[in-house]
């Protein structure tokens, strides 16, 4: 009886999420090939003035988000009926063949301005309980899919048309001129760059040994947080377990947790480390594409030489700006890390792809963190 009740509860939970997409065809998993349109998958679709999620397409969020030109991201997971992902403490969860992970990039529109005027804001509550996005208030840019096929994860990127009715495959990427408008009316023109296939691999090939594409966000420490699935906030991981999307979940006390970098109740160190973890560690880890630098910025890296404190650069080239160390305690302006984060020059800025603007709030956080570090990098001759 308890087993039947658990199955019924899981189906009911999915049904609640499915309440807004009557008439949408079932999700279509494509085991190979590159479908030309996003609607060929039926994961998310523009219908009746909304971007809707299909039945079984479950939204989720991260404790700390990777910065991409102030764009907002609607993240979802879908798995074939009867399958489940296996929990792992470190690294991405083990998802079954047939899984589709989506990420739709969008901006809130800036008041009554042009369609290309988008809001520079860290907060936007347009998506509620997975019920989709109101297309009258957002500017859709792209939807990226990571599809778990027999031979591994395959990335596909779809760019939305101006009418916001369909997104088409963009293997070579795209560039969209936009203007960020802040709360005071300040304007910043920039080019939003949709990555090509090779650039997708650059970030998601987190292990140079296996050279396999990996997920970045769906990991225990990033997803161990609350999300409102229609009945008030509840922990995402326990919710995914309750609907059969996650197995082998341990006790909550044993699950790692990255801080929300904007949470004032968390320590400055925890917030800064979480920011560097999600924005930098996919490359800056012992097995990543930036391992030649000797700079490791993962959440579990000790605050020693490997974290970059008083470490001389090994492969930065002109990106140093004449600075001698990656991080100089108490001196952000003398730190290469700060110099590269605050730049938009090719060959200098870090991350080197994925942004055309400077994350003002993120750089301010890392500046404060470096100011708080004790010690010095005195060179004794």
């Amino acid at each position: 009886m308890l087993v039947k009740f658990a199955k019924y509860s899981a189906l009911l939970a999915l049904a609640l999420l499915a309440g807004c997409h009557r008439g949408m065809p079932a999700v279509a998993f494509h085991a190979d090939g590159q479908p030309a349109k996003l609607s060929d998958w039926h994961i998310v679709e523009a219908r009746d003035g909304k971007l809707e999620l299909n039945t079984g397409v479950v939204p989720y969020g991260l404790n700390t988000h990777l910065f991409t030109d102030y764009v907002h991201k609607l993240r979802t997971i879908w798995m074939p009926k009867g399958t489940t992902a296996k929990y792992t403490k470190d690294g991405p969860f083990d998802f079954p063949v047939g899984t589709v992970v989506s990420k739709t990039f969008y901006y809130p529109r800036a008041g009554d301005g042009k369609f290309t005027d988008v809001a520079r804001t860290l907060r936007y509550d347009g998506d509620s309980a997975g019920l989709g996005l109101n297309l009258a208030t957002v500017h859709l840019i792209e939807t990226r899919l990571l599809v778990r096929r027999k031979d591994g994860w395959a990335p596909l990127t779809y760019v939305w048309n101006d009418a916001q009715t369909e997104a088409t495959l963009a293997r070579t990427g795209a560039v969209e001129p936009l203007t960020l408008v802040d709360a005071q009316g300040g304007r910043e023109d920039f080019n939003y760059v949709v990555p090509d296939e090779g650039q997708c691999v650059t970030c998601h090939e987190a292990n140079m040994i296996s050279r396999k594409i990996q997920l970045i966000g769906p990991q225990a420490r990033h997803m161990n947080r609350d999300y409102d699935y229609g009945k008030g906030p509840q922990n995402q991981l326990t919710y995914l377990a309750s609907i059969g999307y996650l197995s082998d979940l341990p006790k909550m006390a044993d699950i790692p947790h990255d801080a929300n970098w904007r949470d004032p109740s968390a320590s400055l160190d925890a917030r800064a480390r979480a920011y560097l973890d999600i924005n930098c560690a996919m490359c800056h880890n012992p097995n990543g594409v930036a391992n030649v630098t000797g700079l490791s910025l993962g959440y579990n890296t000790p605050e020693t030489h490997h974290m970059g404190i008083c470490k001389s650069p090994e492969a930065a080239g002109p990106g140093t700006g004449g600075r001698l160390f990656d991080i100089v305690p108490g001196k952000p302006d003398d730190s290469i890390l700060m110099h590269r984060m605050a730049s938009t020059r090719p060959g200098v800025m870090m991350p080197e792809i994925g942004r055309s603007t400077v994350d003002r709030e993120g750089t301010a956080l890392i500046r404060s963190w470096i100011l708080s570090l004790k010690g010095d990098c005195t060179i004794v001759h």
Side-chain angles (χ1 to χ4, degrees):
M1 181 65 72
L2 289 175
V3 173
K4 288 183 178 180
F5 178 77
K7 289 182 178 179
Y8 172 77
S9 298
L11 291 172
L12 178 61
L14 286 173
L16 288 172
L17 287 174
C20 62
H21 32 65
R22 289 176 298 226
M24 191 184 299
V27 171
F29 173 72
H30 299 270
D32 51 34
Q34 296 183 314
K37 298 179 180 180
L38 179 63
S39 60
D40 292 331
W41 295 88
H42 305 303
I43 295 290
V44 295
E45 290 187 11
R47 300 168 68 88
D48 301 324
K50 294 180 66 176
L51 183 72
E52 296 186 352
L53 282 61
N54 207 344
T55 303
V57 176
V58 180
Y60 69 97
L62 306 181
N63 281 312
T64 291
H65 298 233
L66 188 150
F67 175 78
T68 311
D69 289 331
Y70 290 94
V71 78
H72 298 252
K73 303 168 187 180
L74 173 59
R75 299 170 170 86
T76 74
I77 297 171
W78 177 85
M79 284 181 275
K81 185 177 180 180
T83 65
T84 185
K86 294 182 179 179
Y87 173 90
T88 55
K89 183 177 181 179
D90 294 307
F93 298 144
D94 184 9
F95 287 92
V97 171
T99 301
V100 180
V101 177
S102 84
K103 185 162 56 174
T104 296
F105 294 66
Y106 68 95
Y107 287 97
R109 298 192 195 181
D112 298 324
K114 298 184 296 183
F115 185 60
T116 54
D117 287 354
V118 295
R120 183 202 298 273
T121 175
L122 298 178
R123 230 180 228 291
Y124 182 67
D125 299 322
D127 173 60
S128 175
L131 298 181
L133 299 172
N134 181 353
L135 296 180
T137 62
V138 301
H139 181 139
L140 299 179
I141 304 291
E142 57 170 320
T143 296
R144 302 180 192 175
L145 302 183
L146 276 170
V147 182
R148 181 67 171 87
R149 291 170 169 167
K150 287 185 178 180
D151 56 353
W153 290 99
L156 299 100
T157 299
Y158 295 86
V159 175
W160 286 91
N161 60 19
D162 289 345
Q164 303 198 133
T165 56
E166 180 64 277
T168 55
L169 186 67
R171 297 184 62 184
T172 59
V175 177
E176 184 167 352
L178 297 171
T179 301
L180 281 169
V181 182
D182 63 26
Q184 291 72 44
R187 300 171 66 85
E188 179 183 358
D189 297 333
F190 74 106
N191 288 324
Y192 182 97
V193 178
V194 177
D196 59 35
E197 288 182 350
Q199 290 171 320
C200 288
V201 172
T202 297
C203 287
H204 284 277
E205 194 177 74
N207 190 314
M208 288 295 288
I209 298 173
S210 67
R211 303 194 71 87
K212 292 182 178 179
I213 294 176
Q214 297 183 10
L215 298 173
I216 296 173
Q219 302 187 43
R221 67 185 184 277
H222 298 316
M223 290 184 63
N224 186 4
R225 52 157 284 184
D226 285 350
Y227 191 98
D228 186 353
Y229 287 99
K231 294 184 177 181
Q234 64 182 110
N235 184 273
Q236 290 183 134
L237 300 181
T238 57
Y239 176 80
L240 291 174
S242 73
I243 64 172
Y245 266 28
L246 186 62
S247 61
D248 301 336
L249 188 68
K251 296 179 181 178
M252 292 304 300
D254 297 329
I255 301 176
H257 174 268
D258 254 3
N260 177 343
W261 72 279
R262 297 178 57 229
D263 180 3
S265 68
S267 70
L268 175 60
D269 184 70
R271 293 164 57 209
R273 294 296 297 271
Y275 183 92
L276 294 173
D277 184 28
I278 194 67
N279 281 279
C280 312
M282 79 285 285
C283 292
H284 284 281
N285 70 77
N287 297 319
V289 296
N291 65 347
V292 294
T293 67
L295 179 63
S296 185
L297 297 172
Y299 78 107
N300 56 355
T301 303
E303 283 192 10
T304 61
H305 211 55
H306 292 292
M307 190 69 194
I309 297 174
C310 297
K311 188 187 81 64
S312 298
E314 296 179 25
T320 65
R323 293 158 179 78
L324 298 178
F325 303 105
D326 292 335
I327 298 173
V328 180
K331 297 181 178 180
D333 292 329
D334 292 345
S335 302
I336 297 171
L337 176 67
M338 193 80 258
H339 172 65
R340 304 194 79 167
M341 286 182 60
S343 176
T344 56
R345 286 180 53 198
V348 176
M349 73 174 187
M350 281 289 171
E352 59 187 356
I353 60 174
R355 68 176 179 91
S356 300
T357 62
V358 173
D359 181 358
R360 298 177 185 177
E361 295 78 13
T363 54
L365 171 69
I366 300 305
R367 171 177 287 275
S368 296
W369 175 65
I370 294 175
L371 280 170
S372 75
L373 298 176
K374 306 300 181 184
D376 61 62
C377 300
T378 302
I379 299 177
V380 180
H381 296 283

